[in-house]
Each structure stands twice: as C-alpha cells, then as structure tokens.
Amino acid sequence: MNEIFEIIKDFIPLSAIPSFTVSFGLLVLIGFLLSLGRRLESAMRLERFGIPIALLFGLFALCVGPYGPIPVLPESVTDIWVNLPSPLLTLVFATLMIGRPIPNGKGIWKPVANQALLGFLLGFGQYLVGGLAVLLFLTPYFNVDPLMGCLIEVGFEGGHGAAAIMGQSFEKLGFNGGLDLGLAMATVGLLSSTLIGSVLVVIARSRGWVVFQAASTKEDSIYSENPISFWEQVRQLLCNLGLAGCAVLFAVLMLSFIRLLAPYFGGVLTDVANVFPVFPLALVGSFLIRFILEKTGKERLVSSILQREIGILSTDLLITIAMAGLNLPILRNDWIPLSILAISGLCWNLAGMFIFARITFKEEWFERSLTEFGNATGVAASGLLLLRLADPIDSTKTLPIFSIKQLFLQPLLSGGLITVIAPLVINKIGLLEWTEICGLITILIILSTFIFKLNNE
C-alpha cells in the first residue's frame, strides 16, 4: 500500500503547484463532476434509495484528504477550502427565494409559524442538552471549558461558517480549542445529517410516509421540447448568477452598515456585529430581489431551474469540501466529549422530529420535519439536500414554508444573533444560568405550540 501511495504522489505532484491554483482548479473540477454525476442514471438510482452523490464525493475526498488513509490532497489545499463553507452557504441562501414566487400570505402563515416553533425548539434545545451534558458529564469527568455547551448549536445549526467565525470569539474568551472543535462538530453534524437523513428517507418510503415520484419537472420537459442555443444558455446562467450576486451584495452592504453603526450602541453590540456572519442576511437579500422582480414584472429574467441548480451545486460542494478537511486527529484526541455532545444533539433533534413534529404538523409532517432535522443537524444546506431526496419534484409546500421560516429564524439561530451572544452570556453569568434560561425558553416554546394548535383546531 505504501508503494502505491508513493507512486500516486509522484504521479500527481500537487505540492509543486501553488496551493490557490490547486484548490481552485480542484473545486471547479469537483463542481463539474458533481453537476454531471447527478444526471447519470446510476446517481439518480442512488438518490432514489436515499444516497446523495455529494456524500459519495465527500467520502472519496475524506479518503484522499490530508488526514485520510491515502493523503494525496495537500493540507494547504484543505486549509483554503476550510474558508469556503460560509461563502457557499451564503450562495445557497441567496438562491433560496429568487427562483420561487413569493407565496400568498393567505393560508401560509400558520404552517410557517409551526415550522418556526419547531426550529426554535430544536435550536434552544441544543443549548439545553449541550449545557446539561457539559455540567453533568464533561466538566466532572473531563474538566472541559464551559463554552463547550455552545458547540452543538454552533456546529450543528451554524455549521462550518458559524464555527469558523465563532472560533475567533471563543479564542477571545479563553477557549482556544473552540475553533477546531467547532469545525469538527460541524463536520460530524453534516455527516450525521446526511447519513441518518438518507436512512430516514428510505424508511419513510417503505412505511408510506412519503410517496416517491421520479425527479422530472414540467420545466425540464419544456427545455427538452424547446431547446435553446448554447449562448442563450450562457446568457441565462450569467443573468441568474448576477441576481444571486445582487442578493449577496445586499447582504454584504447590510452587514457593513450594521458594523458601521454598532460602535454607537455600545461595546456588546460591536462584539456581536464583528462576528455576525453574512449568510443570514443573504436570505433577506434573496427575498428582496424576488420582491423587486415581481413588482417590476421582470420575473422572466429568473430561471427557477438555474437558481435551484446553483443552490444544489453549492450544497454539494459544501458537503464535499467539508468532509475533505475533516481533521481526524482532533476527533481522536477529543472523541469522547465530542461523541457525548453529538449523541446528545442527535437524540434531541430526532425526538423533535418524531415526537414534537408528529404532534404539531397536520400534513406533510415527514418532509417538513426532515428538512428541519437536516437544518438543525447539518445547516440549511443539509436540510435542503434531504428535502430533495424526500421530495425531488417539490410536490409539497415544504420548500416555501421552510424558506419563509428561515427569514425569521436565520438571523437569530444557526449562526445568527443568539449564536453570537451565547458565549458572551455564558462568560458573563455562567453555563448553569444560561442552561436554565434555555430550558425555560424551550418549555415556553412547547407550551406555545400546544396553545397555538388548540386555537387552530
């Protein structure tokens, strides 16, 4: 095996090429292969069985990554890739609303409210179970930092983007291993979400919770019946990329404006603004771009297929490069605390999906709860990936409900305001008090959900 490995390294001397060139070239190649591979019959067959092609690419990338069994890929490349989840997640959110008509408010707000309550329950519950795990097990037996109580929400809900940003905040508060542990938790969450979610889709089909339909759309048939020229396809692609870019630009400008005004409102707000990520605001930008297009009658500029493809490709790339950079030595060194936290978070998310969601949602409970499970375990991109497996032709109302819900939840959890201030609050008042606050909020959310359900029956 060592001789084969040396031959591969000699045959592919990646270390002799500048790291940025290698990382960018491989990223383009992976993107092309992912886009092409998803259209192969074998890949479609795998997705029918609940196995996304991004997971296969990710496992291959992990094997050839710097910490895998065949470390062909230089660490300098994955060090560049580790900065990409946040931009890719931003692009996912930028495309989320542009390609779909803004739903009519009538009849949409009740399911959105239910979806939001489930999202808040899972988010605050992760702080609750994380705090309990640290207080009851990890501190007495492993003497860990109290800020580890934040890792489930940061890694699972916020993902690599939030973990990378929150690593700076952890370091300022004396939790020096927070960045690496946060990235490791994010990777575990992403991998767990994809694997467990895929198995759940298979189980759901066998039990009749979902009705599988072939992944072909009316728009696809239109394209096949009315083929357009290559240059027209390029024009449409550039136009749709430009619209997504406008949503990202709006988010960047909005965040810059917030950071510009923050010093005038005190030091705490400045600290929050400095580590607040851009991707929650990209969703607001996406909604605003769609609103402007509908008000000016320019919806024809948007291709829902292209917007969906851009989002899917960004999701698949995010999963692949995140798995490629999985730092296995960190997992080995801290595998017991990470395992306890990860199992605690997964048990809570699954309980929310199969107990709370079954009670809350009247229809399409599996698709809606599965998307929320993916979002709460491996960020919104993972939730959208699982929804694609369970509902490949968007036959349910899950995507618009989830998208609108994200407008309210994303700026708070999943790398939002609560994610940012939680370590500051723990450092100020203590983990026990923060856990009690989150426990109280969780109970209030459960009570609110039952009251909301009773009033609507």
Side-chain angles (χ1 to χ4, degrees):
M1 178 62 74
N2 290 334
E3 293 178 358
I4 296 174
F5 170 60
E6 291 299 329
I7 292 173
I8 293 174
K9 288 185 70 176
D10 293 337
F11 184 69
I12 311 175
L14 295 179
S15 58
I17 308 173
S19 298
F20 178 80
T21 304
V22 174
S23 59
F24 180 76
L26 288 176
L27 193 68
V28 172
L29 178 61
I30 292 170
F32 174 77
L33 292 175
L34 281 167
S35 182
L36 179 64
R38 281 184 44 245
R39 287 159 174 78
L40 298 177
E41 179 60 30
S42 56
M44 293 180 182
R45 198 177 300 119
L46 285 172
E47 290 213 347
R48 293 190 189 108
F49 286 106
I51 303 174
I53 190 173
L55 177 61
L56 302 180
F57 269 79
L59 290 173
F60 175 76
L62 176 61
C63 290
V64 300
Y67 307 106
I70 311 175
V72 176
L73 198 63
E75 189 174 353
S76 57
V77 172
T78 56
D79 286 343
I80 294 174
W81 282 358
V82 78
N83 298 307
L84 294 181
S86 184
L88 287 172
L89 191 57
T90 301
L91 190 56
V92 171
F93 281 120
T95 61
L96 205 53
M97 299 290 291
I98 294 178
R100 289 184 150 269
I102 298 175
N104 191 339
K106 186 177 180 181
I108 195 71
W109 292 112
K110 288 181 182 178
V112 167
N114 282 331
Q115 195 80 21
L117 286 170
L118 177 59
F120 281 117
L121 176 75
L122 295 179
F124 280 104
Q126 287 178 2
Y127 282 118
L128 172 61
V129 298
L132 290 174
V134 171
L135 290 169
L136 298 178
F137 297 102
L138 300 185
T139 297
Y141 295 104
F142 298 96
N143 194 30
V144 301
D145 193 294
L147 292 179
M148 281 194 77
C150 299
L151 283 185
I152 299 177
E153 200 278 337
V154 169
F156 278 16
E157 288 257 2
H160 292 82
I165 292 171
M166 291 304 299
Q168 305 170 14
S169 181
F170 286 144
E171 190 173 353
K172 290 179 182 177
L173 297 173
F175 183 25
N176 294 324
L179 173 61
D180 290 330
L181 290 173
L183 291 173
M185 182 64 73
T187 306
V188 171
L190 193 61
L191 185 60
S192 302
S193 172
T194 307
L195 289 173
I196 295 174
S198 300
V199 172
L200 291 175
V201 171
V202 175
I203 295 173
R205 289 177 189 154
S206 66
R207 298 184 65 87
W209 296 339
V210 295
V211 179
F212 178 76
Q213 294 171 301
S216 61
T217 67
K218 183 185 296 183
E219 289 164 302
D220 290 330
S221 62
I222 291 173
Y223 271 80
S224 61
E225 293 172 5
N226 302 290
I228 58 177
S229 67
F230 170 77
W231 294 112
E232 178 62 19
Q233 294 180 36
V234 172
R235 187 196 68 80
Q236 288 188 3
L237 177 60
L238 292 176
C239 181
N240 281 270
L241 283 172
L243 291 171
C246 288
V248 174
L249 178 62
F250 170 83
V252 172
L253 293 176
M254 189 174 180
L255 183 59
S256 299
F257 182 71
I258 292 172
R259 289 176 177 173
L260 185 65
L261 294 181
Y264 298 100
F265 295 92
V268 175
L269 187 58
T270 302
D271 292 338
V272 171
N274 287 337
V275 294
F276 193 82
V278 72
F279 54 82
L281 302 177
L283 184 61
V284 181
S286 179
F287 179 85
L288 181 63
I289 296 298
R290 182 69 201 191
F291 179 79
I292 294 172
L293 289 172
E294 291 191 4
K295 287 300 180 181
T296 56
K298 302 293 185 182
E299 303 98 317
R300 64 183 183 278
L301 295 176
V302 180
S303 167
S304 58
I305 293 177
L306 286 176
Q307 290 294 327
R308 183 172 178 269
E309 287 296 314
I310 293 169
I312 288 174
L313 181 58
S314 300
T315 301
D316 291 348
L317 281 173
L318 192 155
I319 292 171
T320 302
I321 65 174
M323 293 179 67
L326 179 58
N327 195 327
L328 296 177
I330 290 179
L331 294 181
R332 281 199 299 267
N333 294 334
D334 296 285
W335 72 271
I336 296 179
L338 280 173
S339 297
I340 291 174
L341 288 174
I343 292 171
S344 301
L346 284 170
C347 289
W348 174 256
N349 290 346
L350 288 170
M353 177 178 177
F354 283 100
I355 299 175
F356 191 77
R358 289 294 295 266
I359 297 172
T360 305
F361 299 147
K362 290 184 178 180
E363 54 186 22
E364 300 170 353
W365 76 269
F366 181 77
E367 291 87 352
R368 292 175 61 183
S369 61
L370 179 71
T371 309
E372 210 59 54
F373 168 79
N375 178 61
T377 311
V379 303
S382 182
L384 296 173
L385 172 70
L386 296 179
L387 177 60
R388 191 173 88 220
L389 297 177
D391 183 20
I393 63 170
D394 291 340
S395 58
T396 68
K397 299 177 183 177
T398 303
L399 185 57
I401 291 171
F402 177 77
S403 302
I404 295 174
K405 183 270 305 183
Q406 288 296 97
L407 287 171
F408 304 102
L409 186 137
Q410 195 68 48
L412 295 175
L413 293 167
S414 305
L417 184 64
I418 302 298
T419 305
V420 171
I421 67 172
L424 303 176
V425 175
I426 292 173
N427 191 60
K428 194 83 172 178
I429 66 174
L431 178 61
L432 176 60
E433 289 74 14
W434 171 249
T435 304
E436 291 173 347
I437 292 172
C438 292
L440 179 61
I441 293 174
T442 302
I443 293 171
L444 290 175
I445 292 172
I446 294 173
L447 293 176
S448 300
T449 302
F450 280 105
I451 293 172
F452 186 78
K453 181 177 176 62
L454 291 174
N455 290 337
N456 288 281
E457 287 183 347

